[in-house]
């Protein structure tokens, strides 16, 4: 099936270039001619040794992003097989794009590179690379590399030359968007980088002030690749996509790369990530729209910790109601252990009856109820593991793979018994106990290691890796079948979300941010990857700068929430204490949030570069109005309002309800000094 046909079946409307059809390129060309393939947005150029470079083409200006490099090659013990000589090329017009097929020869090897540019995606080139052993002896192979490019950019003076989107998941929970400095290196391995940290979206992106480049794979399940990004010296950055897999390539056999891509863009990585989402929609990855209730503000009982008591939740509900929250989340601490998931008998002596009574009370007070659950965990001493020890995911040496934080160990997501047990738990939580939503939580949910448990009869140990998204699909579909408007929040605790799981929840979250910048930058990334139809929860405000930065969530169109506690009910003092001042601030921001309701707008992620545009700016369109959030420690100078129409707008500081005059679109500049942030509404007159 053509990509065009697949996208049409997926319900996407595509605008193809108008005008007469292009003439077909001759089927074969002289091998001595340096080949290339291009669209209005990019050109891929090869030399006679199949080295390549990427040229961005924006607004009639062409910019090579770096020198020719050995971009695709095989690796073997002690050497790289990258010296090929071009022997043939063929370029053809296909139904929905253009395709270039190159063949190169080296001792014992034939390399075939197929590059396709689809009309509907002119900023993206799709690659498939194959290596065939034409010799008489087997070749030891340790892996392959694609898109090994070096990017060049003019040094930016005092600031960074490049910014980058980094997709790896690490225990230190680094920023996803980072400025590159000389000596920077991050491997971005999408396997396990710690016992319970792994997975991620299979893309990296590097951009300068002039242009950016993204690479990744287009497969429909997780793959154990690495996407290293380095900055070896000033003005130079390097990217690549690598698969490490040892094998012996027999005579006549072929090893193939994954289906991969390279893309170009202006501005920051929002362009690559949203382009990837749209492309993958044609392969069946459609995000689930959030229910209306998802946009209500959230109060979570986590401020009271794991030792939370029912009386603390009941005692806090009147204040939660007074402030106008619509969701109450019962967090970690309600259960007996992390496998059986029975109500803790010390807190709920009557078991299910007491837990259901809590849900009924939450409903009676006018809230919707959400329950915290960390699925896919096994707990030593639990009834589940006594009865089903075969559920465990096992390492190559037969040991259980640990989950460090709780501590527990992994269950295998590919084991049918694990899937059925988890579906039954979801049914109990939603149907029997009456919850309106689930908060799925845990850094380990983003990736699992290969499973070697012989009881599971896996065809390959990597079956567990590929099955993880399908495990969450089973939970999501179970919940939605019982309660179609249920909320399923997915919080992978600081890890870089797996794209393959994204269709199977309807609320993303800032996921334990370590700063307000993470609240904003994660919001930008997730809106690019998931679209505006999926609610983004900025997480508890207590995790932001100063434990009070509501503006960062509001400005990116996020849902606001808190884990506040009443000091009279808490066992110790903390930043979650709802002091009189914090209560007044919370009431003010809840009023702003409800009045503007920016999560219902369209996040305009391509208007501002989060790295190079100062001050940092985020923009949202809602109806005819535009909303801007400016962020800097202290700003003295102009701010630019982009994305306006050619008309007059009334400008208002909507946080403080201050009129700031009128401007004329499509672009306007105002001198508006501020500290920390400034929130602006531009409404047509």
């Amino acid at each position: 099936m053509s990509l065009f046909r697949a996208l049409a079946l997926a319900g996407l409307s595509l605008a193809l270039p108008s005008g007469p059809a292009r003439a077909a390129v001759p089927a074969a060309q002289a091998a001595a001619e340096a080949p290339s393939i291009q669209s209005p947005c990019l050109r891929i150029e090869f030399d006679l040794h199949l080295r390549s470079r990427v040229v961005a083409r924006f607004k009639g200006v062409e910019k090579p992003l770096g020198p020719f490099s050995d971009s695709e090659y095989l690796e073997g013990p002690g050497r790289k097989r990258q010296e090929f000589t071009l022997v043939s090329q063929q370029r053809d017009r296909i139904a929905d794009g253009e395709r270039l097929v190159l063949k190169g020869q080296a001792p014992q090897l034939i390399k075939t590179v197929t590059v396709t540019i689809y009309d509907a995606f002119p900023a993206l080139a799709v690659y498939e690379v194959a290596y065939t052993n034409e010799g008489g002896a087997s070749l030891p192979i340790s892996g392959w590399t694609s898109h090994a490019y070096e990017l060049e950019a003019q040094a930016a003076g005092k600031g960074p030359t490049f910014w980058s989107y980094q997709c790896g998941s690490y225990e230190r929970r680094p920023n996803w968007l980072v400025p590159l400095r000389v000596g920077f290196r991050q491997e971005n391995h999408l396997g396990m980088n710690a016992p319970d940290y792994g997975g991620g979206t299979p893309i990296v992106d590097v951009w300068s002030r002039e242009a950016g480049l993204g690479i990744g794979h287009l497969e429909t399940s997780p793959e154990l690749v690495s996407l290293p990004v380095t900055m070896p010296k000033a003005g130079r950055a390097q990217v690549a996509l690598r698969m490490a897999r040892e094998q012996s390539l027999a005579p006549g056999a072929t090893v193939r790369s994954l289906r991969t891509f390279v893309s170009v863009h202006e501005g920051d990585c929002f362009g690559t990530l949203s382009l990837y989402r749209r492309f993958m929609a044609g392969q069946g990855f459609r995000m689930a729209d959030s229910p209306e209730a998802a946009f209500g503000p959230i109060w979570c009982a986590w401020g009271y910790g794991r030792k939370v008591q029912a009386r603390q939740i009941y005692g806090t509900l009147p204040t939660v109601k007074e402030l106008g929250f619509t969701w109450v989340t019962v967090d970690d601490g309600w259960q007996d252990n992390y496998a059986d998931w029975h109500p803790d008998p010390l807190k709920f002596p009557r078991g299910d009856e007491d837990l259901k009574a809590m849900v009924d009370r939450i409903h009676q007070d006018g809230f919707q109820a959400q329950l915290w659950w960390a699925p896919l965990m096994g707990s030593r001493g639990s009834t589940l593991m006594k009865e089903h020890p075969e559920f465990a995911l096992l390492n190559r040496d037969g040991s259980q793979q640990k989950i460090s934080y709780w501590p527990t160990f992994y269950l295998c997501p590919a084991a049918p018994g694990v899937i059925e047990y988890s579906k039954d738990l979801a049914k109990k939580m939603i149907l029997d106990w009456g919850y309106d939503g689930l908060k799925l939580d845990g850094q380990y949910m983003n990736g699992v290691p290969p499973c070697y448990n012989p009881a599971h009869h896996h065809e390959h140990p990597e079956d567990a890796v590929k099955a993880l998204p399908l495990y969450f699909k089973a939970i999501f579909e179970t919940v939605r079948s019982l309660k179609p408007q249920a909320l399923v929040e997915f919080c992978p605790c600081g890890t870089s979300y797996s794209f393959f799981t994204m269709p199977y929840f309807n609320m993303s979250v800032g996921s334990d941010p370590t700063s307000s910048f993470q609240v904003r930058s994660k919001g930008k990334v997730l809106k690019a990857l998931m679209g505006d139809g999926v609610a983004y929860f900025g997480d508890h405000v207590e995790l932001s700068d100063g434990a009070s930065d509501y503006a960062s969530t509001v400005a990116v169109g996020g849902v606001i929430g808190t884990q506040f506690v009443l000091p009279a009910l808490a066992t110790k003092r903390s930043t979650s204490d709802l002091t009189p001042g914090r209560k007044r601030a919370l009431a003010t921001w809840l009023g702003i949030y409800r009045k503007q309701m920016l999560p219902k707008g369209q996040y305009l992620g391509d208007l501002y570069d989060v790295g190079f545009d100062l001050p940092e700016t985020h923009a949202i369109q809602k109806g005819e109005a535009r909303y801007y959030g400016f962020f800097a420690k202290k700003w003295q100078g102009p701010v630019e309002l982009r994305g306006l129409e050619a008309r007059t707008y009334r400008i208002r500081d909507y946080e403080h309800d201050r009129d700031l005059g009128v401007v004329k679109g499509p672009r306007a500049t105002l001198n508006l000094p501020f500290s920390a942030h400034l929130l602006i509404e531009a409404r047509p007159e």
Side-chain angles (χ1 to χ4, degrees), residues 92-418:
D92 294 294
R93 176 69 193 173
I94 58 176
D96 43 10
E98 191 163 338
R99 179 164 293 152
L100 174 67
V101 180
L102 307 177
K103 288 189 182 293
Q105 192 167 33
Q108 275 193 270
L109 280 174
I110 290 290
K111 173 181 174 182
T112 304
V113 181
T114 302
V115 184
T116 306
I117 299 179
Y118 295 101
D119 295 326
F121 299 93
L124 179 145
V126 179
Y127 276 61
E128 294 169 279
V129 185
Y131 304 88
T132 301
N133 181 359
E134 292 206 333
S138 294
L139 292 174
I141 303 298
S142 58
W144 53 261
T145 293
S146 290
H147 306 297
Y149 303 121
E150 182 170 80
L151 286 74
E152 296 178 324
Q154 196 69 31
K158 293 183 180 179
T161 307
F162 297 102
W163 275 71
S164 180
Y165 166 67
Q166 301 286 303
C167 65
S169 296
Y170 295 93
E171 196 167 11
R172 70 183 189 278
R173 302 181 180 185
N175 291 346
W176 299 352
L177 305 184
V178 296
L180 300 187
R181 310 288 183 186
V182 173
F184 177 91
R185 181 177 183 87
Q186 187 160 305
E187 191 67 17
N188 294 306
H189 176 50
L190 299 189
M192 304 307 292
N193 297 309
D196 45 2
Y197 283 81
T201 294
I203 302 169
V204 291
D205 190 277
V206 174
W207 69 95
S208 67
R209 293 179 183 274
E210 297 84 30
L213 179 144
I215 64 170
H217 79 67
L218 297 167
E219 300 297 327
T220 56
S221 62
E223 299 286 348
L224 298 180
V225 299
S226 297
L227 295 102
V229 176
T230 63
M231 188 172 178
K233 58 184 178 181
R236 299 290 180 99
Q238 296 172 339
V239 299
L241 190 155
R242 292 178 177 146
M243 170 69 83
R245 180 169 293 168
E246 293 190 1
Q247 58 186 299
S248 179
L249 190 61
T254 298
V255 60
R256 301 180 187 277
S257 74
L258 303 177
R259 195 174 185 221
T260 64
F261 76 89
V262 58
S263 66
V264 298
H265 60 90
E266 295 181 285
D268 63 29
C269 63
F270 188 88
T272 288
L273 301 180
S274 57
L275 178 65
Y276 172 76
R277 167 174 53 85
R278 295 194 300 273
F279 189 96
M280 294 299 285
Q283 301 193 77
F285 286 84
R286 305 299 298 275
M287 303 303 159
D289 288 338
S290 296
E292 182 67 24
F295 301 100
I298 300 170
W299 176 74
C300 180
W302 179 240
Y304 290 111
R306 281 202 190 93
K307 295 182 179 180
V308 62
Q309 301 293 318
R311 64 175 180 81
Q312 293 172 310
I313 295 176
Y314 291 142
T316 309
L317 289 182
T319 304
V320 176
K321 186 172 184 177
E322 174 193 347
L323 288 166
F325 287 91
T326 60
W327 280 93
V328 168
T329 302
V330 178
D331 212 283
D332 189 3
W334 62 267
Q335 72 286 344
D336 59 345
N337 62 58
Y338 299 101
D340 297 330
W341 299 103
H342 299 143
D344 183 346
L346 298 178
K347 300 175 182 180
F348 302 98
R350 297 180 300 169
D352 289 9
E353 185 178 348
D354 278 348
L355 194 59
K356 188 177 186 307
M358 175 177 283
V359 177
D360 291 341
R361 169 69 183 278
I362 292 171
H363 286 160
Q364 289 166 11
D365 283 354
F367 305 108
Q368 293 200 288
Q370 186 182 41
L371 184 66
W372 177 92
W373 178 28
L376 207 64
M377 287 201 294
S379 181
R380 289 176 178 82
S382 65
T383 300
L384 177 70
M385 299 318 298
K386 289 177 182 176
E387 295 179 352
H388 296 284
E390 77 279 5
F391 281 4
L393 185 152
L394 298 183
N395 297 316
R396 190 189 296 268
D397 63 2
S399 63
Q400 294 171 336
Q401 178 73 16
K402 295 179 180 178
I403 297 173
S404 61
Y405 178 71
W406 274 276
T408 54
F409 53 88
Y410 280 93
L411 305 181
C412 177
V418 172

Side-chain angles (χ1 to χ4, degrees), residues 30-76:
E33 179 184 342
S36 67
I37 184 172
Q38 69 180 33
S39 74
C41 297
L42 86 164
R43 183 167 62 251
I44 310 296
E45 299 179 344
F46 293 86
D47 66 13
L48 301 183
H49 298 284
L50 272 67
R51 293 158 46 90
S52 72
R53 70 174 182 176
V54 180
V55 179
R57 310 177 76 202
F58 299 130
K59 301 178 181 70
V61 177
E62 297 193 349
K63 177 179 176 52
L65 299 185
F68 283 92
S69 65
D70 293 305
S71 48
E72 286 77 38
Y73 55 86
L74 279 182
E75 295 188 58

Side-chain angles (χ1 to χ4, degrees), residues 574-587:
S574 73
T575 56
S576 297
D577 287 352
L578 190 66
T579 63
R582 286 179 176 157
K583 184 177 181 180
R584 287 191 296 271
L586 180 51

